[in-house]
Amino acid sequence: MAELISLTLPDGSVRQLPRGTTGADVAASIGPGLAKAAIAARVNGELVDLHLPIEADASLALVTPRDEADALELARHDYAHILAEAVQALFPGTQITFGPSTDDGFYYDFAPAPGRGPFTEEDLPAIEAEMRKLIAADKPLRREVWSREALVERWTQQGESFKAEWAAELPDGEPLTIYRSGEDWLDMCRGPHLPSTGKLDPSAFKLTRVSGAYWRGDQANAMLSRIYGTGWLNRKQLDAHMTRLEEAAKRDHRKLGAEMDLFHLQSEAQGSVFWHPNGFILWRQLEAYMRRRLDAAGYEEVKTPQLMDVRQWERSGHWGKYSENMFAVPDEVPSADGEGPVLKGTGDMMALKPMNCPAHILIFKQGIKSYRDLPLKMAEFGCCHRNEPHGALHGIMRVRQFTQDDAHIFCREDQLVAEVKQFCDLLDSVYRDLGFTQYAIKLALRPEKRFGSDAMWDWSEQSLRDAVAATGRNTPEWGWEELPGEGAFYAPKLEFHLTDAIGRTWQVGTIQTDTVLPERLDASYVGEDGARHRPVMLHRAILGTFERFIGILIEHHAGRFPTWLAPVQAVVATIVSDADDFAGTVAAALKAAGIRTDTDLRNEKINLKVREHSLTKAAYMLVVGRREAEEGTVALRNLAGGEQKVMPLAEAVAFLQSDALPPDLRR
């Protein structure tokens, strides 16, 4: 008689079943409907294949397409494998490498057959058609465990040099699993997978683009072709995603930045932004707003050097952890023989700062600090540099030169929870002022490689939990989540993820609880007991960087900013040349009231002027003709939409003054 095991189902019921029972067996025992719908199982919380034998007592939950997160993960994983099988069927001699799922789809990297060039987007329709054939064939997907030797031999025999290399390097003792698609194709994979290809919807995926990628991400290795796709559970989800992509393309900050004449980028300054007058108006308004908010919250603004001795970065720990991302320059003096510069001494190097925190500690250490001086809140709109790879640069979202809305709070341990709570409340108010009403809070916990003791990390992590709990935001409604291993090497951190107007999320603000850096750089204060104590250092930012946040603002608002941020708040446009003089009077009144104003006196139809200034995202247009000039009125039009309203000039000026007031000055 077979040995029995106990399987506990989500409703609390327990079933005694033979050892080796699978999720599929349990689904069939419950009913034919569930047997048909089940696509995987969770055994003791782990997502596994529906046909994986269960060898011991366990909790068991069956997964169906209604479990959307799990179902999407499985589907995208399967789409990647089907993509690889389709490419090899169409293009014999192609080698396969890796093919993971992504947040909205999947990709796979290929080494094209010798003599064939890289894959192009012209290849995608044929590959999609072949993928649909494989889905229609409803090929079973079966897991097998192989020995290392057998797997390396199989890949070598098939000419799969990349797979053979990877299989040979997998850790000893790790089960090497492959998945067969029917009888004629296999790939190395940990799984899990759907029971068969037919569980996928052939209308719910689309191949989107092709790019180059280096084998194992190393530029010294072979260049591969990467094919991207997006995959969903049904056609409705795919259509909604493609609509979001179309909307995202319309909102692309690079496109709108050019149309609105905000900034440009060029190869002579890779990763740095050339801000045009309109763009820098936006920057200055945002900076002025943040400065007012920080002043009101008790921060003191400082300015620190761009270049510091590398030895300072060694003491802080950044050089050992971060040097490959830092720009370092030799600290040189002229040579005695005039032949050229030489280093002042061995190892005399300077580095552009990638962050502001060590410099802020150096300011903190000037003079003796008492417990009565804390908390001390030090802010800096600090320009920093990081040596990001060329391939990682993206518009103004990811750059090499950037300005942080950075600040550090030096406080006592007993002040920490209150300070983090105050920061959370300030951040909430700022985001709402800038048009973001939804964001998630996540706690990034200790990474494997880190400074500091476990006791320190325990205390730091719990303090952040307590602070968020004090705000009432540690709930699912606020997206509260803990992220194991995602903290910085010196501190855990709270991350704030904004949701924009089309549902995308952006990780922006952070606050980190750090006791390591004050120790490494010997920061201290005199306590009430007369002894020296280490302050806790809170690293915090709300916007993150101005460059990236402005890019997010552009895309969130589709370039049509609230009036207080709009580079051009009003355009005075004439219908006839007889109104030119009055248009000058209107523009002068608006400028005197502090309204950023342009004037359009061109001999063009007013509808053309409205259309053109709508595209450049001016906030309002004030239209004047003969009648308006005679009566001292203007026709005020909100270019974001809405009816035109005729009103006296003084009333229009007062309205625009009020509408252009920053939100913090309205309260």
Side-chain angles (χ1 to χ4, degrees):
M1 183 175 178
E3 183 180 351
L4 298 180
I5 58 173
S6 298
L7 297 180
T8 304
L9 303 183
D11 64 0
S13 63
V14 178
R15 295 196 172 214
Q16 301 289 323
L17 295 166
R19 180 185 300 277
T21 292
T22 68
D25 295 332
V26 176
S29 72
I30 294 174
L34 184 57
K36 183 178 180 180
I39 55 176
R42 279 197 175 273
V43 177
N44 293 330
E46 180 184 358
L47 189 64
V48 301
D49 295 321
L50 192 62
H51 294 287
L52 185 73
I54 306 170
E55 301 294 342
D57 295 349
S59 63
L60 172 70
L62 295 170
V63 176
T64 73
R66 291 187 177 184
D67 303 299
E68 188 167 298
D70 285 341
L72 278 171
E73 180 181 341
L74 291 163
R76 288 166 179 163
H77 197 170
D78 282 16
Y79 280 127
H81 281 254
I82 291 171
L83 166 61
E85 184 177 358
V87 167
Q88 288 198 310
L90 290 173
F91 306 99
T94 302
Q95 289 193 59
I96 55 176
T97 62
F98 290 127
S101 59
T102 65
D103 286 344
D104 59 11
F106 55 94
Y107 69 79
Y108 212 107
D109 291 347
F110 301 94
R116 190 196 192 285
F119 290 107
T120 68
E121 294 191 5
E122 285 69 33
D123 297 315
L124 300 186
I127 297 172
E128 284 185 351
E130 184 66 20
M131 290 176 67
R132 292 191 176 95
K133 288 181 183 178
L134 294 172
I135 292 171
D138 196 18
K139 300 176 70 175
L141 300 173
R142 294 184 289 108
R143 177 181 184 268
E144 297 178 8
V145 179
W146 286 35
S147 71
R148 178 192 315 282
E149 293 75 17
L151 191 52
V152 171
E153 181 181 357
R154 172 64 177 258
W155 291 134
T156 302
Q157 289 175 347
Q158 289 188 335
E160 297 281 4
S161 60
F162 298 95
K163 286 288 188 183
E165 175 187 324
W166 184 250
E169 295 179 9
L170 290 172
D172 290 335
E174 181 173 313
L176 303 185
T177 56
I178 65 100
Y179 277 80
R180 288 188 180 276
S181 175
E183 297 297 330
D184 53 350
W185 192 85
L186 61 82
D187 195 1
M188 186 167 62
C189 180
R190 289 183 177 180
H193 281 276
L194 295 169
S196 69
T197 61
K199 293 291 186 179
L200 293 170
D201 183 338
S203 69
F205 79 94
K206 182 175 180 58
L207 301 183
T208 55
R209 61 190 176 96
V210 180
S211 73
Y214 293 105
W215 167 237
R216 303 174 82 163
D218 188 336
Q219 296 183 19
N221 290 338
M223 173 65 78
L224 307 172
S225 285
R226 176 171 293 178
I227 299 178
Y228 288 91
T230 184
W232 301 85
L233 300 180
N234 52 60
R235 181 59 182 265
K236 182 178 179 181
Q237 289 182 345
L238 174 64
D239 289 344
H241 175 70
M242 299 309 294
T243 299
R244 285 194 298 271
L245 290 183
E246 291 172 8
E247 183 61 28
K250 295 176 188 175
R251 293 168 178 260
D252 190 304
H253 71 281
R254 296 163 296 184
K255 171 179 174 288
L256 292 175
E259 291 177 359
M260 299 173 67
D261 194 23
L262 302 178
F263 60 84
H264 83 274
L265 302 146
Q266 64 184 73
S267 60
E268 287 79 359
Q270 282 280 354
S272 298
V273 186
F274 293 82
W275 290 100
H276 297 190
N278 278 349
F280 203 56
I281 286 172
L282 175 58
W283 179 297
R284 288 171 55 201
Q285 291 302 309
L286 189 60
E287 183 180 51
Y289 164 80
M290 288 303 302
R291 183 169 281 119
R292 290 192 302 270
R293 298 305 309 268
L294 294 179
D295 287 347
Y299 289 81
E300 299 176 304
E301 190 172 348
V302 299
K303 183 91 174 153
T304 59
Q306 289 288 298
L307 277 169
M308 290 202 305
D309 194 303
V310 161
R311 283 167 290 203
Q312 176 68 12
W313 298 105
E314 289 175 339
R315 284 191 290 270
S316 71
H318 290 93
W319 189 253
K321 298 281 186 180
Y322 210 74
S323 57
E324 70 275 11
N325 296 108
M326 295 173 67
F327 291 101
V329 295
D331 190 4
E332 299 173 334
V333 296
S335 64
D337 57 12
E339 290 298 318
V342 296
L343 292 176
K344 290 192 299 184
T346 303
D348 280 328
M349 297 285 288
M350 304 288 284
L352 286 167
K353 65 178 178 182
M355 64 274 296
N356 303 300
C357 29
H360 287 189
I361 288 186
L362 295 182
I363 293 178
F364 179 86
K365 289 173 64 176
Q366 295 297 300
I368 298 173
K369 299 297 186 295
S370 163
Y371 69 95
R372 295 188 183 90
D373 299 319
L374 305 183
L376 191 156
K377 303 180 182 183
M378 196 179 299
E380 179 175 10
F381 298 126
C383 182
C384 299
H385 293 78
R386 294 181 187 172
N387 189 12
E388 300 283 1
H390 284 267
L393 301 176
H394 175 64
I396 65 174
M397 297 289 201
R398 189 163 185 181
V399 292
R400 288 177 161 180
Q401 176 184 293
F402 54 89
T403 299
Q404 296 177 312
D405 72 314
D406 202 10
H408 295 92
I409 302 171
F410 298 88
C411 65
R412 305 189 309 266
E413 290 186 4
D414 63 295
Q415 296 171 322
L416 186 145
V417 170
E419 289 302 318
V420 175
K421 179 182 181 301
Q422 287 180 26
F423 168 77
C424 291
D425 291 341
L426 174 62
L427 173 140
D428 181 85
S429 174
V430 168
Y431 286 171
R432 293 181 187 281
D433 281 353
L434 295 172
F436 297 95
T437 58
Q438 184 179 349
Y439 60 89
I441 307 175
K442 304 181 187 295
L443 174 58
L445 303 172
R446 69 195 76 185
E448 183 177 345
K449 295 181 179 180
R450 58 186 182 270
F451 291 147
S453 67
D454 286 344
M456 179 278 289
W457 281 88
D458 289 342
W459 175 81
S460 296
E461 291 169 352
Q462 190 57 47
S463 296
L464 291 178
R465 289 189 188 97
D466 293 344
V468 177
T471 71
R473 299 185 178 103
N474 60 337
T475 63
E477 291 76 18
W478 286 92
W480 173 253
E481 183 181 2
E482 297 194 2
L483 307 174
E486 296 295 317
F489 68 87
Y490 53 86
K493 61 180 175 177
L494 292 177
E495 299 177 351
F496 298 85
H497 297 248
L498 290 177
T499 299
D500 71 9
I502 59 173
R504 298 170 300 180
T505 58
W506 308 87
Q507 196 267 296
V508 183
T510 60
I511 186 165
Q512 303 173 8
T513 305
D514 182 11
T515 61
V516 171
L517 209 54
E519 179 73 31
R520 291 180 70 92
L521 297 182
D522 195 29
S524 66
Y525 67 92
V526 178
E528 193 171 5
D529 59 0
R532 289 181 65 208
H533 298 268
R534 298 290 184 209
V536 178
M537 185 179 186
L538 299 177
H539 307 248
R540 47 109 296 171
I542 296 175
L543 307 183
T545 73
F546 276 82
E547 288 80 359
R548 182 167 179 266
F549 199 87
I550 287 174
I552 294 169
L553 276 175
I554 292 170
E555 298 199 3
H556 175 62
H557 292 289
R560 196 161 296 285
F561 301 110
T563 306
W564 70 277
L565 281 174
V568 179
Q569 295 172 318
V571 176
V572 182
T574 54
I575 300 174
V576 293
S577 58
D578 292 354
D580 286 0
D581 289 344
F582 182 59
T585 300
V586 173
L590 291 170
K591 291 176 181 178
I595 307 299
R596 296 185 289 277
T597 306
D598 285 348
T599 306
D600 189 344
L601 306 180
R602 294 175 300 160
N603 184 24
E604 299 286 356
K605 293 185 181 297
I606 193 62
N607 286 343
L608 174 68
K609 295 181 181 183
V610 169
R611 185 164 60 252
E612 288 184 352
H613 292 292
S614 293
L615 289 174
T616 60
K617 307 298 190 290
Y620 288 94
M621 178 174 279
L622 291 84
V623 179
V624 295
R626 291 192 187 93
R627 177 180 296 178
E628 287 78 15
E630 292 169 358
E631 298 177 354
T633 60
V634 296
L636 182 67
R637 182 193 295 251
N638 185 330
L639 291 180
E643 295 182 359
Q644 185 170 282
K645 184 177 181 180
V646 177
M647 61 180 66
L649 174 57
E651 184 179 334
V653 170
F655 169 79
L656 290 175
Q657 254 189 324
S658 174
D659 196 51
L661 202 62
D664 61 306
L665 299 180
R666 297 182 186 187
R667 291 192 280 268

